[in-house]
Amino acid sequence: MPHWLDLMLQSLGPLLWAGLVFTVPLTLLSFALGLTLGFLTALARLYGPRPLAGLARFYVWIIRGTPLLVQLFVIFYGLPSVGILLDAFPAALIGFTLNVGAYSSEIVRAVIASIPKGQWEASYSIGMSWSQALRRTVLPQAARTAVPPLSNTFISLVKDTSLAAAVTVPELFQAAQRIVAVTYEPLIIYIEAALIYLALSSVLSALQDRLEKRLARSSGLVEAAA
């Protein structure tokens, strides 16, 4: 067996374990929390009072205008200077959540704003309140439009979690770094890590395509029925 193949097979278990225990949970938790934060931020910018809308706009401006790696460093290495100490995983989770929240808020804000005003008026005409119109009429339509960009955000987040290695989270990429430190084979191990990320992204892209096709079919059926 070639040396490179033997090394990749020996390294595969630790890399997959690190991905399963740290990369996947970090991705799922960050996306779920970030999407919730993004939704609330979008509502604040669209319908909140001016001070709240300004605060939401400022948050999005800061996060979108600074590198994610710098944000992680500020949270993990900077906050201890003011007495706030966080373990590596919670620090990374906060950083990724804030980042996803800012970017997803722009997506959510755009798709909600794209819904014609007539949909709101039609909802009000049958006695719905604002919250009912948002929940029953606007959000279901906006969700179909938001799926592709939000799916892209999720896939990008899977790859971005490799930055958590910089704040000592023992996820997939840091596991690769540790193996390299022992084997002195950076080319082989880093290519293997890249292939794992590529496999994850490819599976998620395929699932995204299937979801988009299903939503397109259901949307077509609704329009035909209308």
Side-chain angles (χ1 to χ4, degrees):
M1 179 182 295
H3 168 69
W4 64 268
L5 182 57
D6 182 54
L7 181 58
M8 292 182 80
L9 290 175
Q10 291 181 29
S11 305
L12 184 61
L15 292 177
L16 291 178
W17 178 252
L20 181 65
V21 174
F22 291 100
T23 300
V24 172
L26 183 59
T27 301
L28 294 177
L29 287 172
S30 298
F31 187 75
L33 295 173
L35 188 57
T36 302
L37 177 60
F39 178 70
L40 295 176
T41 302
L43 291 184
R45 291 191 64 181
L46 287 170
Y47 309 112
R50 183 170 296 179
L52 184 59
L55 181 62
R57 191 176 295 108
F58 179 75
Y59 152 64
V60 173
W61 174 65
I62 289 290
I63 297 298
R64 294 183 68 195
T66 55
L68 174 55
L69 184 59
V70 174
Q71 296 164 17
L72 292 173
F73 270 54
V74 168
I75 294 169
F76 186 69
Y77 296 111
L79 290 182
S81 301
V82 293
I84 302 175
L85 294 141
L86 295 170
D87 290 334
F89 190 89
L93 179 61
I94 292 171
F96 287 120
T97 296
L98 292 174
N99 194 269
V100 171
Y103 282 93
S104 64
S105 72
E106 291 295 275
I107 296 171
V108 174
R109 182 177 66 87
V111 296
I112 291 179
S114 70
I115 302 300
K117 291 183 179 180
Q119 297 293 322
W120 290 95
E121 294 169 356
S123 300
Y124 295 148
S125 69
I126 58 175
M128 287 188 186
S129 64
W130 178 87
S131 60
Q132 289 174 327
L134 178 68
R135 186 174 66 253
R136 298 178 183 179
T137 304
V138 174
L139 288 184
Q141 298 179 62
R144 287 195 291 268
T145 307
V147 164
L150 288 177
S151 298
N152 290 333
T153 299
F154 182 72
I155 294 171
S156 295
L157 179 61
V158 173
K159 296 174 288 184
D160 288 344
T161 54
S162 61
L163 294 174
V167 292
T168 73
V169 176
E171 46 70 63
L172 196 158
F173 185 64
Q174 194 185 74
Q177 290 178 314
R178 291 179 175 179
I179 295 172
V180 168
V182 174
T183 62
Y184 300 101
E185 294 284 2
L187 180 62
I188 296 172
I189 301 303
Y190 288 146
I191 286 178
E192 183 176 19
L195 291 174
I196 294 174
Y197 282 114
L198 180 62
L200 286 172
S201 299
S202 299
V203 170
L204 292 173
S205 295
L207 293 174
Q208 176 187 350
D209 290 340
R210 292 188 62 180
L211 179 59
E212 288 179 14
K213 290 177 181 178
R214 178 171 296 182
L215 289 173
R217 285 198 299 268
S218 63
S219 178
L221 289 174
V222 170
E223 291 176 358

